[in-house]
């Protein structure tokens, strides 16, 4: 192989994919909660992924490569992230849920995981020039004595666990299982422009507020009035 060919090849493997995912976690949650999060510089090589107490969330992805992402939150970590996010959104503290077992906390944590994986899949498209799709994140509140194993259909699985720390030093864990794979750059290319997570979250907030206050379109109003007339009202 020529020296020029060797210089052009850049191998992007499991640890690089894991680092990209970890950066998506800290990036999205830091913006959403307006706080600082970080992850350990050490990664664990494990044999399987599992959902653990107090809140476990997982999402499967497929396409250019297949895998499974799991986030396991302690109750304290989940409540800190939930409260910080809701306060950042402008919700009064008196209106917030006080239990990690509430549906509202699960829904918010699932929404944030959806944003994390969306940020990650966007980077995969830009940096690796391939595409992966995801299913809707599943969030479960688990009893402290229950551990639920999650199996993914992977031929040569590589499984990693990373420890994360919130701004108040609460802990949660990310687990990643993917098929063993390497991406090799054969030539130079320009990556697509990166999306600013601030803009994405601001746009989502604006759409939520608009949909909550917007009046129905005229066509919907006409249909509604026609229905009332047909009922003699």
């Amino acid at each position: 192989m020529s020296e020029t060919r060797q210089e052009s090849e850049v191998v992007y493997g499991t640890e690089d994919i894991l680092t990209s995912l970890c950066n998506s976690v800290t990036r999205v949650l830091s913006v959403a909660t307006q706080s600082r999060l970080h992850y350990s510089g050490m990664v664990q090589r494990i044999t399987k992924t599992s959902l653990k107490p107090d809140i476990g969330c997982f999402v499967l992805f497929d396409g250019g490569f297949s895998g499974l992402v799991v986030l396991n939150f302690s109750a304290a970590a989940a409540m800190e992230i939930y409260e910080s996010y809701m306060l950042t959104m402008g919700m009064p503290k008196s209106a917030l849920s006080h239990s990690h077992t509430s549906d509202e906390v699960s829904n918010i944590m699932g929404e944030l995981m959806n944003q994390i994986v969306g940020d990650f899949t966007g980077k995969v498209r830009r940096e690796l020039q391939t595409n992966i799709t995801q299913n809707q994140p599943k969030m479960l509140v688990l009893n402290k004595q229950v551990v639920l194993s999650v199996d993914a259909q992977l031929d040569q699985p590589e499984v990693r666990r990373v420890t994360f720390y919130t701004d108040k030093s609460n802990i949660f864990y990310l687990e990643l299982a993917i098929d063993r794979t390497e991406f090799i750059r054969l030539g130079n290319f320009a990556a697509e422009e990166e999306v600013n997570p601030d803009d994405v979250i601001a746009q989502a907030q604006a759409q939520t507020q608009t949909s909550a206050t917007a009046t129905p379109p005229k066509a919907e109003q006409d249909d509604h009035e026609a229905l009332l007339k047909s009922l003699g009202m």
Side-chain angles (χ1 to χ4, degrees), residues 4 18-19 36-37 49 51 63-64 72 76 82 104 129 145 148 152 175 177 188 209 219 226 228 233:
T4 303
L18 177 63
T19 299
R36 298 184 62 183
L37 297 92
T49 57
L51 293 170
N72 289 313
Y82 157 76
E104 182 179 345
Q129 294 195 332
Q145 291 152 359
L148 177 63
E175 295 182 4
N188 292 326
Q209 293 171 354
L228 292 178
M233 299 175 65

Side-chain angles (χ1 to χ4, degrees), residues 146-199:
V146 174
V147 175
L148 177 63
S149 294
V150 181
D151 295 324
Q153 299 300 318
L154 303 176
D155 295 328
Q156 292 181 299
E158 293 193 346
V159 192
R160 305 287 188 268
R161 179 190 292 133
V162 180
T163 304
F164 283 76
Y165 301 89
T166 68
D167 198 28
K168 296 180 180 178
S169 298
N170 289 308
I171 295 174
F172 63 96
Y173 300 94
L174 177 144
E175 295 182 4
L176 171 68
I178 62 171
D179 268 328
R180 183 173 183 178
T181 185
E182 287 185 343
F183 287 85
I184 302 172
R185 190 177 71 188
L186 299 179
N188 292 326
F189 61 87
E192 296 178 16
E193 184 178 351
E194 185 175 2
V195 177
N196 189 327
D198 291 336
D199 296 338

Side-chain angles (χ1 to χ4, degrees), residues 14-189:
T14 300
E15 267 61 47
D16 300 297
I17 293 173
L18 177 63
T19 299
S20 180
L21 179 58
C22 289
N23 288 338
S24 287
V25 173
T26 56
R27 201 164 95 117
V28 170
L29 293 184
S30 294
V31 171
T33 63
Q34 294 297 294
S35 62
R36 298 184 62 183
L37 297 92
H38 68 279
Y39 57 90
S40 171
M42 299 294 290
V43 58
Q44 292 175 267
R45 190 188 303 269
I46 57 179
T47 58
K48 66 177 182 178
T49 57
S50 59
L51 293 170
K52 297 182 177 67
D54 294 304
I55 291 182
C57 187
F58 70 94
V59 62
L60 294 161
F61 54 84
D62 198 7
F65 55 91
S66 299
L68 167 70
V69 179
V70 176
L71 284 174
N72 289 313
F73 296 92
S74 65
M79 289 304 294
E80 179 187 344
I81 292 170
Y82 157 76
E83 290 177 357
S84 297
Y85 176 64
M86 296 301 284
L87 292 174
T88 299
M89 291 278 286
M91 292 290 292
K93 192 165 186 176
S94 59
L96 302 185
S97 174
H98 299 292
S99 173
H100 76 278
T101 61
S102 71
D103 290 340
E104 182 179 345
V105 173
S106 293
N107 291 338
I108 292 299
M109 299 306 292
E111 175 187 330
L112 290 173
M113 184 164 190
N114 197 41
Q115 293 179 19
I116 289 167
V117 180
D119 184 82
F120 171 65
T121 57
K123 286 192 291 186
V124 167
R125 284 193 298 271
R126 292 192 307 272
E127 298 173 3
L128 301 183
Q129 294 195 332
T130 189
N131 184 69
I132 57 175
T133 57
Q134 68 185 78
N135 71 345
Q136 189 66 25
K138 305 294 189 298
M139 179 72 70
L140 296 173
V141 177
L142 302 171
N143 185 284
K144 287 182 180 295
Q145 291 152 359
V146 174
V147 175
L148 177 63
S149 294
V150 181
D151 295 324
Q153 299 300 318
L154 303 176
D155 295 328
Q156 292 181 299
E158 293 193 346
V159 192
R160 305 287 188 268
R161 179 190 292 133
V162 180
T163 304
F164 283 76
Y165 301 89
T166 68
D167 198 28
K168 296 180 180 178
S169 298
N170 289 308
I171 295 174
F172 63 96
Y173 300 94
L174 177 144
E175 295 182 4
L176 171 68
I178 62 171
D179 268 328
R180 183 173 183 178
T181 185
E182 287 185 343
F183 287 85
I184 302 172
R185 190 177 71 188
L186 299 179
N188 292 326
F189 61 87

Side-chain angles (χ1 to χ4, degrees), residues 218-230:
K218 187 177 187 304
E220 292 183 13
Q221 291 178 341
D222 291 343
D223 291 342
H224 184 63
E225 291 173 1
L227 176 60
L228 292 178
K229 287 181 180 179
S230 69

